[in-house]
Amino acid sequence: MKGRPYNVGLSDANLSKWELCELIRKHVLDFHFVAAEFGEDPDKRNYIVSNRRIEAKGFTPTSR
């Protein structure tokens, strides 16, 4: 494993921005979000993280 980067997390915990907003709304009463019906999102970051490399080594994280 030396010299190689590994993501360590729950693969099932990957969320889109929309899914994250939906979860926040369940906990924050005055939280509002709007999806623009035109244009495109200037924030092109991809939050989907692959944990395949560490999982292939037999590591399986658990949530609390």
Side-chain angles (χ1 to χ4, degrees):
M1 294 176 67
K2 185 177 179 181
R4 303 212 49 203
Y6 289 84
N7 293 316
V8 179
L10 293 169
S11 292
D12 294 340
N14 282 317
L15 300 172
S16 69
K17 290 182 224 174
W18 187 269
E19 291 167 328
L20 179 59
C21 287
E22 291 285 355
L23 286 174
I24 292 170
R25 183 166 53 181
K26 289 180 183 178
H27 300 281
V28 180
L29 298 177
D30 292 333
F31 182 75
H32 301 281
F33 62 99
V34 178
E37 295 182 20
F38 58 90
E40 65 181 68
D41 188 350
D43 185 350
K44 303 289 186 208
R45 291 177 289 180
N46 177 356
Y47 292 97
I48 304 301
V49 177
S50 173
N51 300 301
R52 272 189 242 142
R53 186 178 293 160
I54 193 82
E55 290 168 352
K57 298 288 184 190
F59 179 80
T60 305
T62 58
S63 63
R64 292 182 182 220

